[in-house]
Every structure is written in C-alpha cells, then in structure tokens.
Amino acid sequence: MAPSLQRAVRIKNKNYVRNGLKSYVYLMNKYSFAPTQPGPYSRESKVTHQGKFGAQKLMGGKTKVQHALYKTAADGTQDRVPSEDQQNDSEYLTAVEIGSTKQKFMLDFDTGSSDLWIFSTELPASTLSQVKSAKHAVFDPSASTTYKETSGSTWQISYGDGSSASGIVGTDDVTIGGLTIKGQSIELANQAADQFIQGAEDGLLGLAFGTINTVKPKPVNTPVENMIAQDDIPKDMELFTAYLGSWRDTNAADKGESFYTFGFIDPEVLSDAGVTEPYYTPVDNSQGFWMVDSASASVAGKTVERSGNTAIIDTGTTLALVDDATCKAIYDAIPGSTYDNTQQGYVFPTSTKPADLPVVTFAVGDQQFAVPKEALAFASAGSNTVYGGIQSRGDMTFDILGDTFLKGIYAVFDQGQTRFGAIQRKDQTGDTLEPPQS
C-alpha cells in the first residue's frame, strides 16, 4: 500500500433519525418505482395542460403526462408527496477537501450515482442564507487558486418528487482519504431544492460509472476514473472498497468504524474474516450501476430460486429492496411479522430475539452472502414493532442491495476489472436487536 493511501472514514451523522417509511419514500423517488404493495403512496400518471397564456388556458399549448408519487389521505384525496414525508438526511458522511485552501465538506458517498456536487457561493443570496443557517459548508471558488471554471458546462440532478439541484462546473484538486486528485471536475450548485438543504450532507460524491454523470454537453470523469487515469492508485488495484461498521462492533478489531478505501483492500478486514482475497463476480455496468447477477436467495436454509434476477449494489440506500415473493418468504419466517398498510412495509415485534430470526442470504454471482440479523430490524415503527430492513422493490425488475445487505460484507468495487468482490463478515448480533433510534 502506498503511504498516501489510507482509510476514508465514514462518520455517523448524529442528527440522523431512522424512519422506515420515510426511507422507503425516498427510494421510491430516487429510483422512480411504483409500489406494488398497499399503502398511502402510489405512482400516478396525471395529465396537465399548459395553454398559450398559462396553465388552465386551453387555447393551444401542450398537454403533458406527468408520472409522480402521490399520497392518499384518510379521506381519499390525493396530493403530491411533501418533502417532509421522505428521508432527506444521510446516516453516514465522509470528509473531502477541495481546493488550494483545503475547504472541507462532509459528503454522501453514493455508488448509485456519478456526480460530485457541493453547495457553493454561486447560490442565490436567499438560498445561500438558508444553506449557511443549516450549518452546511459552502465552496467559494474565489478562495482557491487551483479552481478553474469549465465554460459552457452545466449539471442537474433530479428525483421523482420533482426536487432538483443544478449549477455550473469547474475543476479543482480534491483530497479523499489522504489521496489528492488533480483537476477533478466538481459541480457547483447555483440552485438547490429545500430537500437537499434539510439534510446534513454538504453534497454528494458519486461512485457509480461515469456514463450516468449528468454534466452537459459532455459527462465528466468521476473521482475514481481520474484516480485511475492519473495513476493515483496502483494498476493492479483500480478499485475502492466499502466497510459499514455497526454499533455492536465496538469490541471488534475495527471498533465499529465505517470506512472506504481507494486503491487498496484493507488487510485487517481480510485477516479478521479469515480469507486472503474476496469472491468476485462480473459487473454489468451498461446502465452505469454496480449491477450483479443475483439468481437466488435463501431463507432459514430454504432456497428461493430467482432465475435471471439481478441486483444493484448501492451505498446510498439504507434498505434492501427485493421482489415481493422473496420479501414474503422472509417475513413468513419471522414470528409475529405482519404487513402494515400504514407503514407500507413489513414490521415485526420489537421483542423478537435474534435466535428466532431466519438466516437470510442473497446470491452475488454464484455465492450466497448473509444479511446480519441486526440489519433485519431497521427502525422503530411504533406499537412495539420494528420496520424491516428488507422491503418490496415495487415494479422494478432488479433488486437494490443497500446498507442492510452491505453491513454483512466487505464490499470491493473493482472498476479496473469491472467486477464486484465480497467478503462475508462475522455476524456480531447479540441476544437482542434493539435498533438504535438515531
């Protein structure tokens, strides 16, 4: 390992409050899927008409079909989902330094997107005031002698709820875990919806493949792509890894620490797992994601065949989302579990002992990897129940394996060889679940 390569620690957001339904609504918007299980939220197609002289004027103009997420109230009325109904915060953040003055930002590292964007002084005065009041770091390009604007380039990210952030593009030096990337493209927000301001993160660092980067007229290299192009990381280690720690692991060698590495696989994790290398499977990156084959699962030792099934590995997702049949098989094996329409998800009794929970595994390529029993209980759902960490993927044709799954493995994202590696970690779940409230 080169001296400059070190762990980039994921820091727990102390203000983050787990909420199962809000996390699920966030994912409906992130991946624009329609739920297939009953509950207050649904994706609807609404016809709107824009007349020549404004809305409601039916002279000429255009008719549009909008596909959006709606919430049905108790009286049966429907309306667009308000921002407070979804999780706008990130549970873990990682420090990144940008510019000649090493301006520090706490970013959400997300393998489900490919943009590196941050709040900036380019924002309108009123928005900038809100951003600063929310204690966000704000990038000031005039304070960095290494910053250069990329003339004519713009970017925009948007979600299914209509929220968006957008702005201009420039280049500057970016430092992650002691490694400095020269001339990395950074996306400076000059517009940001309230949803982004409400969270603790100062922006996002995408770790998916660059083909889904939103910069126009030409997408830019992601940080990992530039690490490879600039030989910042070894030729035989053109990869990054993710290790998601747990509050239960304080007595383990890693002390419950969460971290990323770039350009090396952490030898301590390999040693602790009793292996010398990860298990690898090919990645289908045709859609820009870390997508792998996942043609089977198991619940309490019983195989669930899922021929042709695939899964996206996503560090920016708290839950795991799978097909309805697999979801049902999992909760059928948990005593006292039920589907709660008001939560639009499966819940089970808080008093459930880990010994009474099934071992749940998902295939990554040809090998099964287990979900830690602790992760099956995501958050309190009230009435002495917990919201399950695995829920329905709705009408999506692939799974999303987020933190619920990733907490059970050491994940290796090998960009150079277009493959994904996994190492099964020891399940540290004790004799009680007690999911933390924050």
Side-chain angles (χ1 to χ4, degrees):
M1 185 197 327
S4 60
L5 302 181
Q6 56 190 263
R7 291 178 174 181
V9 177
R10 297 172 88 234
I11 298 170
K12 187 170 176 60
N13 172 10
K14 294 180 181 179
N15 296 320
Y16 178 85
V17 178
R18 287 188 171 195
N19 184 296
L21 182 54
K22 286 188 176 184
S23 294
Y24 192 56
V25 172
Y26 168 79
L27 292 174
M28 288 187 215
N29 279 321
K30 180 176 181 178
Y31 284 100
S32 296
F33 70 86
T36 51
Q37 297 296 311
Y41 300 94
S42 61
R43 191 163 293 282
E44 306 287 344
S45 298
K46 302 285 187 179
V47 178
T48 61
H49 187 88
Q50 179 70 39
K52 277 188 176 180
F53 309 105
Q56 312 306 321
K57 308 279 188 182
L58 299 184
M59 288 182 59
K62 295 180 179 180
T63 297
K64 293 182 179 179
V65 179
Q66 293 184 329
H67 306 280
L69 198 63
Y70 284 80
K71 181 180 182 180
T72 302
D75 62 2
T77 58
Q78 280 189 330
D79 205 351
R80 291 288 291 268
V81 176
S83 64
E84 60 267 21
D85 274 26
Q86 72 173 1
Q87 181 59 268
N88 295 311
D89 211 353
S90 297
E91 186 170 10
Y92 289 92
L93 302 169
T94 304
V96 172
E97 294 177 332
I98 301 177
S100 59
T101 53
K102 301 289 186 183
Q103 298 176 55
K104 183 177 177 180
F105 301 86
M106 300 303 295
L107 303 184
D108 179 12
F109 281 27
D110 182 8
T111 59
S113 60
S114 299
D115 288 82
L116 193 178
W117 75 267
I118 48 177
F119 292 117
S120 78
T121 52
E122 299 293 319
L123 289 161
S126 58
T127 306
L128 190 59
S129 177
Q130 286 180 278
V131 168
K132 290 181 176 179
S133 295
K135 308 297 184 184
H136 286 297
V138 176
F139 181 70
D140 182 357
S142 67
S144 175
T145 58
T146 45
Y147 174 81
K148 295 179 181 178
E149 184 174 347
T150 306
S151 179
S153 289
T154 59
W155 63 277
Q156 179 176 11
I157 59 170
S158 56
Y159 291 112
D161 62 350
S163 63
S164 67
S166 58
I168 63 171
V169 182
T171 60
D172 210 334
D173 297 342
V174 173
T175 301
I176 307 169
L179 187 156
T180 298
I181 311 161
K182 297 289 186 180
Q184 171 63 43
S185 289
I186 55 175
E187 299 161 34
L188 279 56
N190 61 19
Q191 179 275 324
D194 289 344
Q195 287 90 320
F196 298 103
I197 300 171
Q198 290 167 8
E201 63 271 22
D202 302 319
L204 179 120
L205 191 147
L207 293 169
F209 293 88
T211 52
I212 58 172
N213 176 266
T214 71
V215 171
K216 295 182 187 245
K218 182 182 178 181
V220 298
N221 279 358
T222 66
V224 175
E225 287 172 337
N226 275 334
M227 288 180 192
I228 294 171
Q230 297 177 14
D231 294 327
D232 293 327
I233 53 181
K235 287 291 185 186
D236 61 345
M237 284 280 166
E238 295 178 340
L239 52 79
F240 63 95
T241 76
Y243 185 99
L244 279 59
S246 166
W247 58 279
R248 296 182 185 278
D249 296 342
T250 52
N251 293 324
D254 57 82
K255 306 300 183 187
E257 184 177 77
S258 293
F259 58 85
Y260 289 91
T261 70
F262 294 86
F264 73 99
I265 297 173
D266 197 287
E268 289 184 26
V269 179
L270 293 174
S271 177
D272 193 47
V275 299
T276 56
E277 63 179 20
Y279 164 80
Y280 286 105
T281 192
V283 165
D284 175 3
N285 66 352
S286 60
Q287 298 180 61
F289 298 111
W290 291 91
M291 180 174 279
V292 298
D293 287 340
S294 184
S296 65
S298 74
V299 181
K302 296 181 180 179
T303 300
V304 180
E305 295 293 348
R306 312 165 74 211
S307 179
N309 189 69
T310 57
I312 288 174
I313 312 297
D314 185 6
T315 60
T317 292
T318 51
L319 304 170
L321 304 182
V322 302
D323 66 278
D324 289 343
T326 303
C327 219
K328 185 176 185 303
I330 291 168
Y331 290 98
D332 280 351
I334 298 178
S337 70
T338 184
Y339 184 86
D340 185 336
N341 284 20
T342 62
Q343 297 283 340
Q344 203 146 353
Y346 287 94
V347 300
F348 59 91
T350 306
S351 59
T352 304
K353 299 296 183 184
D356 295 325
L357 290 173
V359 174
V360 177
T361 71
F362 294 104
V364 172
D366 296 325
Q367 190 161 313
Q368 296 286 329
F369 291 89
V371 175
K373 290 187 175 183
E374 167 200 329
L376 294 176
F378 177 67
S380 172
S383 302
N384 296 313
T385 64
V386 291
Y387 192 87
I390 301 172
Q391 298 292 344
S392 167
R393 70 188 189 190
D395 66 351
M396 288 191 294
T397 58
F398 48 83
D399 297 344
I400 305 294
L401 297 180
D403 292 1
T404 293
F405 175 75
L406 290 168
K407 284 182 177 178
I409 67 170
Y410 181 38
V412 180
F413 300 83
D414 191 335
Q415 195 142 334
Q417 299 193 53
T418 322
R419 61 182 183 171
F420 176 75
I423 298 165
Q424 184 73 65
R425 289 157 52 191
K426 297 172 184 176
D427 191 342
Q428 302 288 340
T429 305
D431 60 0
T432 181
L433 292 175
E434 296 181 1
Q437 300 302 304
S438 61

